[in-house]
Amino acid sequence: MKNFLDQDFLLNTPTAQRLYHEYAAHQPIIDYHCHLPPDQIADDVNFENITRIWLYGDHYKWRAMRANGVNEAFITGNKTDQEKFIKWAETVPYTLRNPLYHWTHLELQRYFGISELLSPASAQKIYAECNEKLRSPEFSVRNILKSKNVEVVGTTDDPLDNLAHHQKLKQDNYSVKILPAYRPDKAMNADDVAGLNKYIDQLEAVANVSISNIDEYLSALKARHDYFAENGCKLSDHGLEQIYAEDYTDVEIASIFNKIRNNEVLLPLEILKFKSAMLYQFAVWDHEKGWVQQFHLGALRNNNARALANLGPDTGWDSIGDFTQGRALSKFFNRLDTTNQLAKTIIYNLNPADNELFATMVGNYNDGSVAGKMQFGSAWWFLDQKDGMIKQMNALSNMGLLSRLVGMLTDSRSFMSFPRHEYFRRLLCNLLGDDIENGELPNDIAWTGKIVSDICYFNAKNYFDF
């Protein structure tokens, strides 16, 4: 029987162990998409206690605590940080076979050197030990990133952001590159006309222009796109239910924008046309600048109306959606490809039923200009666990080239999520190691090891050109 979380965790064969320890473990981390707050990095924050760095904003843990019968006061409510940590410690033993059990103990080991299992019996001791370390200079957020061998962090930023924190980090010559990503979803959200109008008003103030028609709106957004590029941005990102690719005319979009500015109710088809026009324009700008565009597709958000009213969005009430993806993806990419304006692209699915669809869709638009130009992105959100990662890698292996994958990303708001890269790397090495041990791949460790190193680091380094 193997020991829990030993050095060969998830590595079931000698070949897998060799691939991981010799070719994967030491590779730097390029975390090209996450939601880390750049202000905390710029200010080099030391967290007061482990609850603040570990539980605040972590929807995964919140959902598990709710499922375990924990009152909301101990999750997002007004209980003390210590009380919240104790409730999490009470929940952890019940998370067996949930990835949170692995992640929790990986993070305690990798950050704090704590191998003891978290439980009600160990909670007070672990809380005190972690808190003492967190207050030391070695555990400032900048030092945490460096200690985890992080080379690049890609944050997620609204076009309205002034990027002052990114500028400060560059001025400080911080060794880890913290780069913004342009996420203009609010700028196309015609589902909420009042909210979109408020956003346009804010854009007027930021861009110091007047916006009364669609051309002025696009010009202001393009100026923000340019501003992001000037500040090191090389990626865009969208978090959408599905791609929008309705047919439209410029005259129609101009009329729809006028209705928006007049706070008129839009027809459902008008909403789809407006979203389609905006999404296309963003994609054209991305291609002009040589950026990578990312599309995170398939989340059904804010399902619990009562919780949304009480706590607001992004508090853990989202799920996998069953949206139709194929035809719109094809139509959207085909329009851009026809005029040679399709940027390097990563698509991520949240519904595992779409694995093969996404893996085959990217193959339609690889044109030989860049290795792996079109990427079926790593398992995301509910799927970034053992089963989800393996299924994503198997689908990509069967339908495309796993060898050209640009690796893992945390998509996290937590500075303690970087062991997810290790988790992915171990699973990758175990997958390839099993095939070698079974005679399904040749016993060529040097070549397979190169592929492992590429997936863990070098593919992303070359693809994004950071």
Side-chain angles (χ1 to χ4, degrees):
M1 179 185 297
K2 293 178 64 176
N3 292 323
F4 177 62
L5 277 186
D6 65 6
Q7 67 173 0
D8 294 325
F9 174 60
L10 297 175
L11 305 171
N12 296 330
T13 64
T15 302
Q17 294 160 14
R18 184 177 176 189
L19 287 171
Y20 176 73
H21 294 298
E22 294 184 17
Y23 294 95
H26 63 280
Q27 297 297 342
I29 288 174
I30 296 178
D31 198 49
Y32 50 89
H33 173 75
C34 72
H35 299 272
L36 291 180
D39 60 320
Q40 293 181 344
I41 308 174
D43 294 339
D44 201 17
V45 167
N46 271 86
F47 286 90
E48 180 181 336
N49 58 57
I50 188 172
T51 303
R52 291 176 180 257
I53 193 174
W54 214 24
L55 296 178
Y56 277 38
D58 192 330
H59 307 164
Y60 295 84
K61 294 185 178 74
W62 293 356
R63 288 168 68 96
M65 292 169 77
R66 290 167 184 145
N68 201 45
V70 175
N71 187 278
E72 194 67 31
F74 294 92
I75 302 172
T76 61
N78 59 3
K79 295 295 184 180
T80 67
D81 288 344
Q82 184 169 359
E83 289 172 321
K84 290 177 179 179
F85 181 83
I86 298 301
K87 287 296 184 183
W88 171 238
E90 292 175 1
T91 299
V92 167
Y94 292 94
T95 65
L96 289 177
R97 301 206 81 243
N98 185 293
L100 285 165
Y101 195 83
H102 284 166
W103 295 344
T104 292
H105 293 105
L106 266 178
E107 290 162 11
L108 287 174
Q109 278 196 23
R110 300 299 182 260
Y111 287 85
F112 303 104
I114 295 173
S115 297
E116 187 174 2
L117 298 180
L118 182 58
S119 69
S122 63
Q124 295 286 3
K125 176 186 173 184
I126 289 176
Y127 187 72
E129 184 175 345
C130 291
N131 292 351
E132 182 179 358
K133 291 180 177 179
L134 281 168
R135 293 164 188 158
S136 68
E138 291 80 8
F139 278 80
S140 74
V141 295
R142 293 197 194 186
N143 285 328
I144 286 174
L145 293 176
K146 288 193 289 186
S147 72
K148 292 295 160 281
N149 201 19
V150 178
E151 186 173 289
V152 179
V153 168
T155 60
T156 305
D157 310 273
D158 189 274
L160 300 181
D161 197 299
N162 62 16
L163 304 181
H165 303 300
H166 295 84
Q167 293 165 358
K168 182 180 188 305
L169 286 159
K170 185 176 181 180
Q171 291 165 2
D172 291 349
N173 291 315
Y174 180 45
S175 59
V176 180
K177 288 186 179 180
I178 312 296
L179 302 177
Y182 188 84
R183 188 169 193 170
D185 291 354
K186 292 181 180 178
M188 56 183 279
N189 186 23
D191 293 295
D192 177 7
V193 170
L196 181 54
N197 256 313
K198 182 179 179 180
Y199 185 88
I200 297 170
D201 292 341
Q202 292 172 327
L203 178 60
E204 284 183 321
V206 168
N208 193 29
V209 296
S210 175
I211 299 175
S212 59
N213 58 54
I214 188 63
D215 290 336
E216 292 171 348
Y217 188 44
L218 292 175
S219 177
L221 287 170
K222 176 64 161 56
R224 300 309 298 167
H225 199 273
D226 295 341
Y227 179 76
F228 269 57
E230 292 164 7
N231 283 273
C233 182
K234 291 180 179 290
L235 293 93
S236 68
D237 180 63
H238 295 274
L240 306 171
E241 293 180 348
Q242 58 199 126
I243 289 289
Y244 301 102
E246 287 290 330
D247 293 326
Y248 60 85
T249 66
D250 292 342
V251 171
E252 286 179 312
I253 301 305
S255 175
I256 293 168
F257 187 82
N258 291 338
K259 290 183 69 174
I260 291 170
R261 287 310 264 165
N262 290 325
N263 276 305
E264 297 178 30
V265 176
L266 299 183
L267 300 173
L269 184 57
E270 290 176 321
I271 293 172
L272 292 177
K273 286 176 181 280
F274 183 79
K275 288 181 176 181
S276 301
M278 298 300 293
L279 199 62
Y280 172 77
Q281 190 60 68
F282 298 143
V284 169
W285 296 342
D286 291 347
H287 177 266
E288 288 174 358
K289 291 191 173 69
W291 287 7
V292 176
Q293 58 182 357
Q294 301 176 93
F295 299 97
H296 289 81
L297 305 174
L300 185 61
R301 301 176 189 269
N302 301 317
N303 293 271
N304 189 317
R306 179 166 58 91
L308 178 63
N310 292 335
L311 302 174
D314 301 322
T315 51
W317 311 96
D318 311 313
S319 66
I320 293 170
D322 55 353
F323 306 102
T324 300
Q325 302 288 357
R327 287 193 179 277
L329 274 168
S330 177
K331 187 175 180 180
F332 180 72
F333 290 150
N334 197 56
R335 181 184 179 190
L336 292 162
D337 185 76
T338 297
T339 55
N340 196 26
Q341 291 176 296
L342 179 57
K344 289 186 284 189
T345 302
I346 310 175
I347 54 175
Y348 310 84
N349 61 301
L350 195 56
N351 191 330
D354 293 327
N355 278 349
E356 283 74 17
L357 187 160
F358 277 45
T360 54
M361 183 60 67
V362 296
N364 295 327
Y365 299 100
N366 279 315
D367 55 15
S369 60
V370 177
K373 173 183 175 178
M374 303 295 290
Q375 290 275 327
F376 171 32
S378 293
W380 164 54
W381 199 343
F382 293 112
L383 304 184
D384 66 350
Q385 26 74 8
K386 180 181 175 182
D387 182 62
M389 291 183 193
I390 291 171
K391 285 180 177 177
Q392 187 273 342
M393 286 189 274
N394 280 331
L396 180 55
S397 298
N398 289 329
M399 311 295 174
L401 297 182
L402 175 65
S403 56
R404 292 300 185 179
L405 178 66
V406 292
M408 185 57 180
L409 61 156
T410 63
D411 190 40
S412 174
R413 293 168 172 79
S414 171
F415 290 96
M416 291 184 64
S417 292
F418 291 101
R420 293 186 196 175
H421 284 265
E422 174 187 341
Y423 202 80
F424 168 84
R425 292 173 180 187
R426 287 176 179 270
L427 291 171
L428 169 67
C429 292
N430 194 64
L431 202 65
L432 293 168
D434 278 351
D435 285 352
I436 291 173
E437 295 268 353
N438 292 334
E440 297 176 47
L441 289 177
N443 187 21
D444 187 343
I445 298 298
W447 178 253
T448 310
K450 177 192 180 299
I451 296 299
V452 166
S453 297
D454 286 346
I455 295 170
C456 294
Y457 174 67
F458 290 102
N459 285 348
K461 186 176 180 69
N462 295 328
Y463 186 76
F464 295 108
D465 190 28
F466 288 130

